[in-house]
């Protein structure tokens, strides 16, 4: 390769849209794993499969490891070559993330570069929209390595071990494009409440929770319930305010709504969970069972449900995960887990969806139902699941469910599931290493 730009163009021809480089240390070689940084923030940069706990080496006296497979290809001018054993490995005791298996099973891998311990080597990565990771390794004498080491901070974004690179034709990054789109929406003033269907058709929406749907429709986002970011890699969150002077939020922000992955809830189903831990509707709606309340670490058992929120496998004093098989859970007074959310599932969801988030204020008025979106936007970047767990542990984040079952006594009851983890708006910045309030006006 003649230059970094020529390499990025090659990776673009293979579908890459994001680009990174890592200056390889002597320990980044074929006998060791590639260090990707402290904490778990690398998980939102490198696409990966589901996290899992590997216990295969316990019989040999080794500890279990949490891993995730990576679809990794080495590339050159002649093509791309699958490295079938590529994976990420998490070390919560440090904590840190490493990558391994880049050579095994791949005949065209740059073994001579990776096996070396020479200073000045460089690993270039390209990320495709479907989650493929493209790799190219350069020796210290390679023009690409020399060019990278000579680059100034104006050409790259150095926020972690991985250095983000931008092709020359990509002068506007996703942050700029997002703010331009939000400014256009703010300048529209009042917008009819609406929702974009999966078929791409916008329809009126009359329910009171239309603020998020209306903003998503303006951005061309169709609600799909997946765990990917909403717009250009950014998670989009609107929150209601009373006015555009103080921008004071009306209620806490819902961070995510993951379904439980364990406990009585999963073993016996939602109807039985509600019959056991729910309570009759307090407004008098007949044949309806609710499950609600605020659950925060440190609070006693809830009066209506008999459950409390716990963290199993996390040490609050050190701020580290002590057991990756641990969970966030709802526990009975007898110690039974009524519902739980595994660390691996929550970690995967949080880092993938919340790596970059934009929080936009909104006003509501009726009739007809309309929303206006404010010019003061909070941009948050560089998160880590450990920050999320810290906020759970200190009570900043609460579990605030809204689960119900109607026609409860009938043969076919109707259930609605919504497990919400929420936080006060003023505490959002504690979940990110980088944040900025941007005035679009």
């Amino acid at each position: 390769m003649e230059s970094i730009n020529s390499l990025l163009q090659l990776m673009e021809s293979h579908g890459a849209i994001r680009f990174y480089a890592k200056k390889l240390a002597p320990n980044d070689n074929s006998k060791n794993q590639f260090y990707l940084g402290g904490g778990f923030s690398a998980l939102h940069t490198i696409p990966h499969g589901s996290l899992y706990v590997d216990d295969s080496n316990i019989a040999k006296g080794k500890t279990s490891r949490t891993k995730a497979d990576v679809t990794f290809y080495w590339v050159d001018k002649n093509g791309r070559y699958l490295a079938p054993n590529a994976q990420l490995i998490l070390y919560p005791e440090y904590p840190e993330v490493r990558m391994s298996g880049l050579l095994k099973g791949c005949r065209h891998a740059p073994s001579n570069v990776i096996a070396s311990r020479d200073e000045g080597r460089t690993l270039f990565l390209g990320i495709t929209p479907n989650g493929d990771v493209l790799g190219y390794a350069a020796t210290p004498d390679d023009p690409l390595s020399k060019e990278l080491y000579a680059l100034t901070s104006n050409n790259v974004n150095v926020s972690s071990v991985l250095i983000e690179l931008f092709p020359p034709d990509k002068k506007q990054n996703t942050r700029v494009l997002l703010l331009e789109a939000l400014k256009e929406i703010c300048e529209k003033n009042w917008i009819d409440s609406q929702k974009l269907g999966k078929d791409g058709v916008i329809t009126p929406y009359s329910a009171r929770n239309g603020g998020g749907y209306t903003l998503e429709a303006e951005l061309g986002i169709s609600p799909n319930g997946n765990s990917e970011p909403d717009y250009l890699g950014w998670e989009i969150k609107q929150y209601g305010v009373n006015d555009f002077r103080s921008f004071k939020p009306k209620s806490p922000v819902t961070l995510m709504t993951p379904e439980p992955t364990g406990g009585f809830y999963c073993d016996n189903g939602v109807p039985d969970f509600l019959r056991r831990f729910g309570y009759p509707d307090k407004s008098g709606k007949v044949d309806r069972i609710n499950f609600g309340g605020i659950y925060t670490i440190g609070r006693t058992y809830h009066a209506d449900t008999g459950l409390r929120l716990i963290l199993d496998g996390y040490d609050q004093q050190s701020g580290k995960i002590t057991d990756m098989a641990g969970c966030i859970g709802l526990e009975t007074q007898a110690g039974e887990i009524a519902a739980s959310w595994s660390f691996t599932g929550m970690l995967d969801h949080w880092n993938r969806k919340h790596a970059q988030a934009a929080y936009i204020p909104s006003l509501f008025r009726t009739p007809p139902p309309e929303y206006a979106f404010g010019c003061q936007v909070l941009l948050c970047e560089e998160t880590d699941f450990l920050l999320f767990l810290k906020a759970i542990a200190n009570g900043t984040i609460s579990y605030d469910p809204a689960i119900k079952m109607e026609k409860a006594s009938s043969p076919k009851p109707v259930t609605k599931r919504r497990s919400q983890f929420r936080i006060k708006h003023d505490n959002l910045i504690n979940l990110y290493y980088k944040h900025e309030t941007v005035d679009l006006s």
Side-chain angles (χ1 to χ4, degrees), residues 77-97:
K77 291 182 179 179
N78 297 316
R80 53 193 281 177
Y81 316 100
L82 179 66
N85 296 286
Q87 60 183 355
L88 298 178
I89 305 178
L90 281 62
Y91 293 89
E93 64 268 30
Y94 297 121
E96 64 184 37
V97 176

Side-chain angles (χ1 to χ4, degrees), residues 272-340:
D272 283 351
F273 173 85
L274 286 166
R275 291 187 183 100
R276 179 175 175 187
F277 299 108
Y279 47 86
D281 181 81
K282 294 184 177 181
S283 66
K285 294 179 181 177
V286 178
D287 210 17
R288 171 168 155 170
I289 300 176
N290 292 340
F291 182 84
I294 306 296
Y295 301 80
T296 305
I297 294 293
R299 286 191 179 183
T300 187
Y301 298 94
H302 196 282
D304 293 327
T305 66
L307 302 177
R308 68 170 182 174
L309 191 68
I310 63 165
L311 268 177
D312 181 26
Y314 174 81
D315 181 64
Q316 184 173 4
Q317 186 172 359
S318 66
K320 295 179 180 180
I321 295 174
T322 57
D323 183 3
M324 280 301 299
C327 67
I328 303 166
L330 290 174
E331 183 184 59
T332 69
Q333 294 188 41
E336 179 185 0
I337 298 299
S340 65

Side-chain angles (χ1 to χ4, degrees), residues 163-180:
I163 303 169
E164 188 170 8
L165 304 172
F166 298 98
D169 60 335
K170 300 294 189 301
K171 295 180 180 179
Q172 289 184 315
N173 59 30
T174 60
R175 183 180 186 276
V176 173
L177 296 173
L178 170 67
L179 292 176
E180 288 179 349

